[in-house]
Amino acid sequence: MTNFHDKVIYQIYPKSFKDTTGNGIGDLKGIIEKLPYLDELGVDMLWLNPFYPSPQNDNGYDVADYTAIDPMFGTWEDFDTLVQEADKRGISLMLDMVLNHTSTEHEWFQKALAGDKKYQDYYLLREAQADGSLPTNWESKFGGKAWSKFGDTDLYYLHLYDKTQADLDWRNPEVRQELYDAVNFWLEKGVKGLRFDVINVIGKDEQLSDADDGVGKKLYTDTPIVHEYIQELNRETFGKYDDVVTVGEMSSTTVKNGIDYSHPDRDELSMIFSFHHLKVDYKDGDKWTKAPFDFLELKKLLDEWQRGMNEGGGWNAVFWNNHDQPRANSRFGDVDNYPFETATMLAQTIHFLSGTPFVYQGEEIGMTNPNFNKIDDYVDIESHNAYQELKNRGMSEAEVMEIIQEKSRDNARTPMQWDDSKNAGFTDGTPWLKIPENYKERNVESKRVSQSIRDYYKQLIQLRKEYKLIQEGSYESILLGHQSIYAYMREYEGQKLLVLNHFYGDEAIIDLPQHLLKKEARYLLGNKGERQLEEKFMMQPYETVAFLLD
Ligand code: NOJ
């Protein structure tokens, strides 16, 4: 089994990384062009979001063909070159496998619509209930109901996401075989990593029924059969290789399930993404609200997952950002007054935790939310649905736009800011999504803040490779109730790492426990330069610092 505890994975959103053709959309050639940049950063693997043929209603997560490349992203030759050129630099590729649903433009769905029984059995088609209501009362995660009319029949098909993303019936062995074939296809092409989209919702009940809460999540999330399917997926595909790294995206999961999904003895996945820590600025659990983040809750959740997964032998992917999340530094810090401190403090918090760190493109140069003020500047389907829903609730345009600015998934999807030339050096054409205004000072070439943040990331990535303590150490939080500092300790073979992270823009003091002060402390890394460890440890705004205790 390949080691993934010492790796750092970099996520590329191909559509927004680098355009080489002038069509305003990033492409595979653009990734090839930037391999030296990624190599210099020190990352081991590149997770690429979907680049398969797709109507792009959900930016590629509506896959119309699992084993092809959308020409707008490039050719097979480009793909092969990318694999080879990355390999020369010791970098491998992780592809996104969207196996819960297909686009309604997928050939299978089209054949089903045309009346082919075999393909109708690939999807979850049901009749209306006796009283004429939808087959179940479940809600779609993108707003509205989870069922739509199946052509001009009396049937409905299930879609947990957009209505153009039809859920597959995993109970059908033929469906599973088709999906395993698709996964094997990419493995044979030299792919060494797989990211499985919303994989813990594939196991729906055989009898689909109304949910008491009118939402339905419990009836299809983390069901026991999901574990069986993942074990089969493992056996039939990547389990045949000993150098493939896998990560499952887990919607609303639990520590107990997280352990089961990622414990090496269970032959499921290498690790999982969980999202509870990224909901601490949802008011009453509703994403589409504006609220300051709850710091104590954030710490409680990080701590619960660190401790729980460590004790149970599971493995976390650790991250703040991805293509579905607003930029973490806009969310948990102060990007106007402390852009360097915010970005590096957040990075250090994650990189020294137990788990495999994921860096999302642009995070390493301090990219921020763009704060567009017109809904038409946003492309994302979920944002447009939310805009309508909030408007329908009677909110004013200004109130709605404030929420969209904070919560839209497009916050992360704006094009990579390479330099201060037109369109931030991303494209010669018109970018598919607008470039944030701050690209002139926040870009890869900029000698000021961006470069310092990037240098810091390089150090964090190197330190993980150097220290078994960072890769394998146990985890323990310190003074979890502290109002503004998240302090934790890692330990491995008698060596300790103390990490102190200050999440606010004022000064704060932490009274460190005596047993830590008895040790010999060596400064390892911090964003305010070298520090001495002392009992009443004063921290500057958004400061982070780590000490080795021998
Ligand atoms: C999770 C993906 O990350 C997100 O972008 C997508 O919309 C949903 N899964 C549905 O595939």
Side-chain angles (χ1 to χ4, degrees), residues 58 61 98 101 142 161 165 195 197-198 249 323-324 409 413:
D58 186 22
Y61 283 93
V98 191
H101 44 264
F142 285 170
Y161 295 87
Q165 292 166 300
R195 178 261 186 194
D197 190 62
V198 293
E249 187 202 27
H323 63 291
D324 293 329
R409 301 192 298 180
R413 299 177 181 181

Side-chain angles (χ1 to χ4, degrees), residues 58 142 287 323-324 380 382 407-413:
D58 186 22
F142 285 170
K287 167 171 172 173
H323 63 291
D324 293 329
D380 179 30
E382 190 203 33
K407 297 294 168 77
S408 173
R409 301 192 298 180
D410 280 344
N411 282 318
R413 299 177 181 181

Side-chain angles (χ1 to χ4, degrees), residues 55 106 123-124 135 320 344 493 503 529 531 537:
H106 194 289
Y123 296 93
L124 291 152
W320 289 115
T344 50
E493 292 184 348
F503 274 70
R531 301 276 322 259
F537 193 80

